[in-house]
Amino acid sequence: MDFSSELIAEGVKEFSKLPGIGKRSALRLVLHLLKENPDYTNSLADNLKKMREQIKLCKLCYNYTDTEICTICTSHKRDKSVLCVVVDTRDIMAIENTAQYRGIYHVLGGVISPVDGIGPQDLKINELLARIPNSEITEVILALSPTMEGDTTAFYLSKKLKELGIKTSTIARGIPVGGELEYADELTLGRSILNRTALV
Ligand SMILES: [Zn+2]
């Protein structure tokens, strides 16, 4: 693409680094911003900066939060005896949308994948195990996608959790193999949490 402006070329380059944005979409976004009121671009830039600087990970569950401890962990309405282990924040959003789960969460940040060189130490597994003693947690639900990596992670965790005397269950297989929780419809996901199966 030939640009009349170096700055437009630079803008297109930056936008096309975003997932799902090709060069053409990037150019459309840049041209759109140029037509907008400068107040909008200023507030967009401020917002992005603030988002990146101020959002942190909850010290307990590693979900994104504006405060030290997230609103789910501090809520008195949540059942602190049940903890659901997920891969990332999007899974929490998907489960929250089902309105079927009132427990707390723990975000692993990934799954064990020897092929990609990701071991238990690269995930928030030690943090999860350290959270359990001296807590009200009695049951852990593993809400990991039924992929080979998800299964490996679930197996590893269930073994460790058993040593701590914790009841472990997995969400029912209503979700297509290799499917991400994020894409499962709310009804199926909600039902699979309610019909979770115990791991022995
Ligand atoms: Zn939290």
Side-chain angles (χ1 to χ4, degrees):
M1 263 187 250
D2 202 11
F3 301 107
S4 56
S5 146
E6 269 303 307
L7 290 172
I8 289 180
E10 201 54 41
V12 168
K13 201 175 114 196
E14 290 305 315
F15 273 106
S16 58
K17 286 179 188 167
L18 294 170
I21 306 286
K23 280 251 162 70
R24 288 163 73 93
S25 306
L27 178 62
R28 205 172 62 220
L29 292 173
V30 169
L31 296 179
H32 172 77
L33 290 177
L34 288 174
K35 273 190 221 140
E36 282 287 321
N37 189 314
D39 289 348
Y40 172 68
T41 35
N42 284 339
S43 93
L44 177 67
D46 280 352
N47 225 290
L48 287 176
K49 203 164 159 340
K50 229 192 268 170
M51 189 178 76
R52 200 61 191 87
E53 283 170 1
Q54 295 181 12
I55 295 179
K56 36 191 166 248
L57 296 177
C58 169
K59 287 222 157 87
L60 285 174
C61 73
Y62 298 90
N63 187 14
Y64 284 123
T65 171
D66 298 340
T67 46
E68 291 292 293
I69 309 287
C70 78
T71 48
I72 294 177
C73 286
T74 50
S75 169
H76 296 298
K77 291 190 184 129
R78 310 294 301 210
D79 177 359
K80 304 275 163 63
S81 71
V82 186
L83 180 145
C84 181
V85 175
V86 294
V87 172
D88 69 30
T89 294
R90 287 176 302 178
D91 299 329
I92 295 187
M93 292 173 185
I95 294 172
E96 287 297 291
N97 279 337
T98 68
Q100 297 290 338
Y101 178 72
R102 304 307 303 157
I104 51 174
Y105 294 96
H106 190 87
V107 181
L108 286 186
V111 279
I112 298 172
S113 174
V115 183
D116 302 309
I118 303 169
Q121 71 286 348
D122 301 310
L123 307 169
K124 300 288 184 210
I125 289 180
N126 284 337
E127 288 81 351
L128 168 66
L129 300 174
R131 239 182 117 170
I132 290 170
N134 308 318
S135 77
E136 297 166 42
I137 301 161
T138 56
E139 180 186 358
V140 169
I141 304 168
L142 303 173
L144 309 171
S145 286
T147 56
M148 201 167 75
E149 292 80 10
D151 283 347
T152 306
T153 312
F155 180 72
Y156 180 87
L157 283 176
S158 65
K159 231 172 52 186
K160 292 278 176 192
L161 290 164
K162 203 174 175 188
E163 287 168 17
L164 295 173
I166 296 288
K167 190 167 92 184
T168 314
S169 53
T170 55
I171 58 168
R173 297 302 174 102
I175 296 170
V177 172
E180 299 289 333
L181 287 184
E182 193 195 348
Y183 303 118
D185 71 85
E186 284 163 21
L187 201 71
T188 312
L189 183 56
R191 215 184 288 131
S192 69
I193 291 167
L194 294 178
N195 298 335
R196 57 190 181 263
T197 42
L199 283 176
V200 278

